[in-house]
Amino acid sequence: MENDKAWTYLRFAARAGKAPSGEFQTENAIKGRKARVVVLAEDASENTKKHFRDMCRNAGVPFVMMGDRETLGHAIGKEFRSSLAITDDNLAKAFMEESEGRQ
């Protein structure tokens, strides 16, 4: 993992119950205005990437592309995940500071 601190913040968010993951839950977090940042796996399908990029831009939510589906899922204690949202303000801010320049 290229940036251990960013991955650590993802783990913290997941353990705190502040990281809904999977396409359905991530989409609901964005629509419900709870998402503070969205993380997409670099190997997600082009359709998924476009869908979440457009959704995030329309909602004014920053998004970050990092890792692959397996790594992203493993970081939050799940299997494969293409997307997740961080819903906590402080964790999202800390994550964004550590993942600067990945958009």
Side-chain angles (χ1 to χ4, degrees), residues 7-92:
W7 291 104
T8 299
Y9 287 121
L10 287 180
R11 284 186 201 98
F12 287 158
R15 287 184 184 154
K18 302 292 184 175
S21 64
E23 293 184 34
F24 182 73
Q25 288 186 355
T26 303
E27 188 171 323
N28 284 343
I30 296 167
K31 287 179 178 177
R33 299 186 181 271
K34 294 179 181 177
R36 300 297 174 248
V37 64
V38 171
V39 182
L40 299 174
E42 292 173 353
D43 64 345
S45 72
E46 290 304 315
N47 188 39
T48 299
K49 289 178 190 176
K50 181 181 180 338
H51 175 72
F52 281 109
R53 276 189 208 124
D54 293 346
M55 209 174 196
C56 287
R57 285 187 182 127
N58 290 337
V61 176
F63 67 92
V64 175
M65 305 270 302
M66 64 186 275
D68 57 25
R69 292 178 297 172
E70 183 176 3
T71 306
L72 189 58
H74 180 71
I76 61 169
K78 308 271 184 186
E79 290 209 14
F80 301 99
R81 289 293 187 264
S82 294
S83 63
L84 67 85
I86 298 177
T87 58
D88 181 81
D89 288 325
N90 293 326
L91 287 170

Side-chain angles (χ1 to χ4, degrees), residues 5 13 16 46 62 77 95:
K5 283 189 178 183
E46 290 304 315
F95 173 80

